[in-house]
Amino acid sequence: MREGNILAIEETIAEKLAKDLREISVTEFFEKNKHLLGFNNPTKALIMAVKEAVDNSLDACEEAGILPNIYVEVAELKKAERGGVYRVIVRDNGPGIPPDYVPQVFGKFLYGSKFHKIKQSRGQQGIGISAVVLYAQATTGSPTIVITRTSPNEPAYRFEIMIDVKRNEPIILSKKELKSWPLDHGTEVRFTLIGDYVENRKQSILSYLEQISVVAPYASIVFKNPRGDIFRFERKTQKMPPPPKEIKPHPHGIDIGYLIRMLANTRTKSLKGFLISEFTRVGEKTAEEILRIARLDPNINPKSLEKEQIEKLYNAMQRVKILAPPTDCLSPIGEELFKIGIKRLYGEKAEFIETVSRRPTVYGGNPFLVEVGIAYGGSLPKNSQAEIYRYANKIPLLYGQSGCLITKVISSIDWRTYGLNQPGGVGIPQDAVIFFAHIASTNVPYVSESKDAIAEIPEIENELRLAFQELGRLLRLHIQRKRKLAKIAEKKKIISEILPAIAEKVSRIVNKPVPDLDPVIARVMNNYLFEDHVKYHKRKKTYEVIVSVTNYTRIRRRFDMYLRVPKEAEIVHVEPEPVEIVNNYIHWNVPRMETNESRTFYVSFKGVEEGVYEEAEIFVEGIEPEYLVGAEAFSEEEYTDMYGAEVSEEEEEEVIEK
Ligand SMILES: Nc1ncnc2c1ncn2[C@@H]1O[C@H](COP(=O)(O)OP(=O)(O)O)[C@@H](O)[C@H]1O
Ligand SMILES: [Mg+2]
């Protein structure tokens, strides 16, 4: 169990903030706590306002299964001493907020933040939208305006909200039914606050929206900056990831503060009942064992526990071996959507974009998973340090890069082995490359309360490393293949065009028949050449892949060829008949080919969005790798990827449970 569990830290901060809030004026409160709230300076405050509102919009849309349309506008109303007075508008087409809830959500500090829910959502990361309301009020004295509508059969309501700081209760200055509102359902928030608008750097609203657009390619985002420039991030796919599910806490995933709070809030009558009904993976037997070790009476009222008893209970909970929590509550971006998202930003610039999603696993009772991506080559700047885009629960982490586990893992991998320039084999590579990493968890471990950097958890570190290494291998394949193919193309041109022309001329001069050049060509080329041709049919929404193989060697033997397609691909047609299709691999047995003989293979598949699949990944078993051009040796990695690895521990546990 990791010390200083984040949920408990949040609890104490939340409580402290709420207490401070009761005792002092709002301005004083912000002076005192702005670092905790993320409003350290006017620049960051403006970013935070947009971020809190946009995060909520995306969360709400995803939860309701609505493809998000989000409009963001930042306007400068007048200059201030530092920065200026800004108006921020964020509008979404989400499910709307029932009017009865609006005062609580916006007008009660720390109301909505999901401290009590164990769920992967953006929400837990910020301090909640009411902090922005409070900040706006503290800096400009202006109320926040909220317009929301839950269905076309309902009117839209417009609220003017402030917070009664002394009582931490909403003040509704006005509430009106609107005669008309352009959206059938959705929410619009308007803040007037002191801020400072910047662009052209990673810590800016524009960059934040760009980074959001990478992990939410299903969202359409329009942004109007203070100069009136409009930036459009158009929707690139209709597919949305499944919404995250709520789960109960795992005994190993909470700390003692959280346990205290659970005990105080429970409706169960007995301690045993409490353990069984309020935790995941705790059944009759586990509960009994915990109580036996803690030497506590199973029938005792959970609310009546003394401090020492709670400590005993907590320690016993940590000592008992308990099944890892289920991991299907997470909502990854997915390899496909992540790739579409990266293409949305870098499709034009980079020549190679690839993503890898790891399967969910667990650290200290908390489910998590890791996803990584890479954009490489093309016109990306070649000689500067690689950029790193970091995300936690689909939120860009704008600050704290150097202290983040993601950066640490990238820096500790020897990227030279994957074809990148990295002086000394450590540190951030200096090459035309951009890294992306996403950590999804019901409980993302951060270095500090500002929630900018991921903490060093060995399990997460391991998953990140494996994910980046897999990405590295894909990158290496691409780089090697590109190099080889370029060389071969040159050679092939010389051999297949120039050589016959010379042969013909010479034969004519010496008046002899043109010799058979095939053996000569084979000797000079000396390879098996795999050429691929990938085409997307917009109308049929189908990919067609043609692979042609030519034997430019004198080796004539049968071999096995594997074509890897994306995991989501639904195969429509394969020709010739393959031996097997296992997961996303098509496996052919290729009969022996004569020297200079060619063969063609054809595959079509559906279910993959346009632009995701660009080059065929071909693997060969039975021909020495040095003869392969345009294909790679079928290695152990592909073998496990195709046929699956040994059963992991969690799976075994799950099987036992059933
Ligand atoms: N744009 C929105 N559309 C629908 N519901 C919203 C919106 N903004 C906020 N909410 C609701 O208000 C709640 C509180 O929001 P917030 O204070 O930001 O906390 P959190 O995001 O941590 O839940 C959200 O959980 C959500 O139920
Ligand atoms: Mg929120």
Side-chain angles (χ1 to χ4, degrees), residues 196-216:
D196 199 3
Y197 183 82
V198 297
E199 247 172 49
N200 299 325
R201 61 160 119 150
K202 220 165 166 185
Q203 291 88 2
S204 67
I205 290 168
L206 186 57
S207 170
Y208 169 77
L209 294 175
E210 269 174 7
Q211 293 181 54
I212 274 279
S213 80
V214 167
V215 289

Side-chain angles (χ1 to χ4, degrees), residues 352 354 374-377 415 418-420 433 435 469-481:
F352 176 79
E354 200 47 83
I374 203 169
Y376 168 81
W415 289 97
Y418 304 119
L420 292 183
V433 63
F435 295 100
Q469 284 169 342
E470 191 175 337
L471 210 50
R473 283 192 290 272
L474 297 173
L475 177 66
R476 185 175 55 202
L477 287 183
H478 167 81
I479 293 175
Q480 284 175 348
R481 196 179 141 118

